[in-house]
Amino acid sequence: MAVSVAPVESMASLSSDLFYDILRRLDGPTLASAACACVTFCSISKEEKLWENVCSSMWPSTSREDVKILISCIGGFRKFYADCFPLIVNKEVTEYQWNDHLEYPEEWTEAEYYGDVDEFESVAPSDFVSIVDIKYKDRTICSKVLWGIPNANEFNGWFYNCPFRIDLLTYAARDDDNEGEVFLSVSDGLPPILSMEKERKDGKLWMELRDGLRLSWIVVNKKVKQAANLGSWSPLGGQRHWPTDNDFVIRFGSVLSAKGILPCQVVECILIMKFRVIQQEGEGVQTTLKLTELSMQLEDMEGAHVNGRNSLNILKKALSCHRSKNYSEVLESCHLYSKAQSELKEEKMRNESRLDRLCIISGIAAFLTFWYCIL
């Protein structure tokens, strides 16, 4: 029996509810592409609820009521996704050479480095909000929101002149049994560890962690109503079995502009995630890892920590910097920074070696001159 299907004359004859039901099932990039397909999709894709679902799926922390209110105040979920989905790219890394660093002590006075309090009164620690999500193999294992910066005093406090660092895990969360602790086990997809010696040889656990972990660290400035993702999404590097045999350190981050703030012009935002093996595979026991560190710090090209005052200004500047949806471009930017940093260290070592040789030659010449004069 033949079944006749009535042809659809145009998309306009279809219900907008049907289009909405289709679009709400899409992820962010697909939804953005669909908005460019036709006028109807473009109009429906402006619905905030669609982008709220997208953000909630990608960053579970945005499902919190206080975060929803924050996002609404800074422009809505559509703007939030447009700001935070692309990752930070700094293409100016290769412009800054070692010669710029040689001029640092003479060209930058102490007042210029530490800054004038009145000049930076518009940037306060309480303006910033950190929205952090960790996923392992597409499953969320940790979501945290940090309002302000812990232990940051008022202006002229120690925070502004000491190395900048944000640690999302308190000492209590590291050592005690709390609800906020984060664990990974074989049931989450980890390979079993029969012994650490075997893990040292094959590195299966390390490879699974490196390939499966994803980190998003979004920083929001409530005052300027801007947001940016400072993470690299997937790891940039790390170190296994350090500082102890049971520890695994995984590094994420981005390269931020410090133009007009520091003489090196660019800094690295380093996001550290550290796991510790607390149980190995055994009878009735699964291999289990515990998250012991989740932190952020800024370092300049020479590896020196950036102080609190300059870090706040760099973070504020990062909210309006260039970004890209091309992940390979993001990785290239980070690799260029690492290469420039390695070249800088090598040049510094060569200069120190030349200076050592000059001192030795000068000492020998002085010694010979002394004995020549005596004899």
Side-chain angles (χ1 to χ4, degrees):
M1 179 179 178
V3 179
S4 61
V5 180
V8 179
E9 296 181 359
S10 67
M11 293 186 66
S13 62
L14 298 176
S15 168
S16 60
D17 292 336
L18 177 60
F19 290 143
Y20 182 88
D21 189 61
I22 295 172
L23 295 180
R24 74 180 180 84
R25 302 171 188 272
L26 304 180
D27 59 12
T30 311
L31 179 59
S33 299
C36 303
C38 64
V39 176
T40 305
F41 279 3
C42 181
S43 177
I44 298 176
S45 66
K46 294 178 181 178
E47 289 287 336
E48 273 292 290
K49 190 62 179 177
L50 289 174
W51 292 104
E52 181 179 340
N53 293 337
V54 169
C55 291
S56 178
S57 175
M58 188 161 191
W59 306 296
S61 295
T62 59
S63 299
R64 291 178 35 160
E65 287 302 320
D66 54 351
V67 178
K68 287 182 180 180
I69 295 173
L70 171 67
I71 294 175
S72 299
C73 292
I74 65 173
F77 283 93
R78 187 183 178 197
K79 178 181 180 295
F80 182 81
Y81 181 86
D83 288 341
C84 300
F85 178 73
L87 299 178
I88 292 175
V89 175
N90 195 318
K91 297 182 178 181
E92 301 176 343
V93 174
T94 55
E95 294 182 10
Y96 312 116
Q97 304 298 327
W98 165 249
N99 290 336
D100 296 328
H101 296 267
L102 289 177
E103 298 173 359
Y104 172 80
E106 291 79 17
E107 298 296 329
W108 282 65
T109 64
E110 182 179 354
E112 288 175 321
Y113 179 80
Y114 288 108
D116 187 357
V117 173
D118 295 333
E119 181 183 354
F120 300 122
E121 282 185 351
S122 60
V123 186
S126 57
D127 296 336
F128 293 92
V129 181
S130 293
I131 302 174
V132 182
D133 291 283
I134 305 175
K135 292 186 177 183
Y136 179 70
K137 294 186 175 180
D138 297 327
R139 187 181 74 84
T140 302
I141 62 172
C142 179
S143 292
K144 290 184 177 291
V145 178
L146 182 65
W147 297 82
I149 298 176
N151 303 321
N153 299 326
E154 298 298 326
F155 288 94
N156 293 322
W158 66 268
F159 167 80
Y160 292 90
N161 295 324
C162 289
F164 173 83
R165 178 183 170 89
I166 297 177
D167 194 343
L168 284 184
L169 302 182
T170 63
Y171 289 101
R174 290 176 184 163
D175 303 326
D176 302 331
D177 293 329
N178 292 327
E179 294 180 359
E181 290 184 334
V182 180
F183 297 96
L184 277 177
S185 64
V186 173
S187 58
D188 298 312
L190 285 178
I193 301 179
L194 300 177
S195 69
M196 294 308 298
E197 291 183 5
K198 190 174 185 300
E199 165 59 23
R200 272 188 171 276
K201 294 178 181 178
D202 55 35
K204 287 184 178 180
L205 177 62
W206 169 249
M207 289 187 287
E208 287 288 334
L209 283 175
R210 186 186 58 193
D211 297 339
L213 282 171
R214 299 291 181 266
L215 172 65
S216 171
W217 192 310
I218 296 173
V219 171
V220 180
N221 189 304
K222 298 181 292 183
K223 184 174 290 186
V224 299
K225 298 183 178 181
Q226 290 180 318
N229 195 339
L230 303 183
S232 53
W233 194 234
S234 55
L236 296 175
Q239 193 169 358
R240 59 180 179 142
H241 307 297
W242 189 90
T244 70
D245 208 36
N246 293 337
D247 290 317
F248 296 84
V249 179
I250 302 162
R251 182 175 59 86
F252 302 78
S254 55
V255 180
L256 308 180
S257 173
K259 199 170 185 178
I261 302 174
L262 290 177
C264 60
Q265 307 294 302
V266 286
V267 300
E268 184 179 16
C269 176
I270 301 175
L271 308 177
I272 295 294
M273 189 187 302
K274 184 187 292 184
F275 282 91
R276 173 170 294 172
V277 179
I278 59 174
Q279 288 181 347
Q280 297 183 26
E281 202 73 13
E283 186 175 349
V285 179
Q286 286 187 337
T287 299
T288 305
L289 272 65
K290 177 183 176 182
L291 181 65
T292 58
E293 182 179 332
L294 183 57
S295 62
M296 174 202 291
Q297 61 191 38
L298 302 185
E299 291 185 1
D300 64 16
M301 290 285 280
E302 296 184 358
H305 293 278
V306 182
N307 65 28
R309 178 179 290 111
N310 290 327
S311 294
L312 292 182
N313 285 279
I314 291 171
L315 291 178
K316 182 180 178 182
K317 189 180 183 70
L319 301 180
S320 56
C321 67
H322 177 69
R323 299 163 219 195
S324 174
K325 299 176 184 177
N326 186 349
Y327 186 65
S328 60
E329 190 178 0
V330 176
L331 284 180
E332 183 183 1
S333 171
C334 295
H335 291 156
L336 279 174
Y337 181 89
S338 297
K339 182 180 178 182
Q341 192 175 42
S342 298
E343 292 175 353
L344 177 65
K345 289 180 180 178
E346 290 174 1
E347 180 66 21
K348 188 175 181 180
M349 290 177 64
R350 284 194 293 267
N351 288 342
E352 290 176 351
S353 178
R354 294 189 192 104
L355 184 61
D356 290 341
R357 287 196 297 268
L358 181 62
C359 291
I360 293 172
I361 293 172
S362 300
I364 294 173
F367 178 78
L368 293 176
T369 303
F370 172 76
W371 282 105
Y372 178 79
C373 293
I374 292 178
L375 298 176

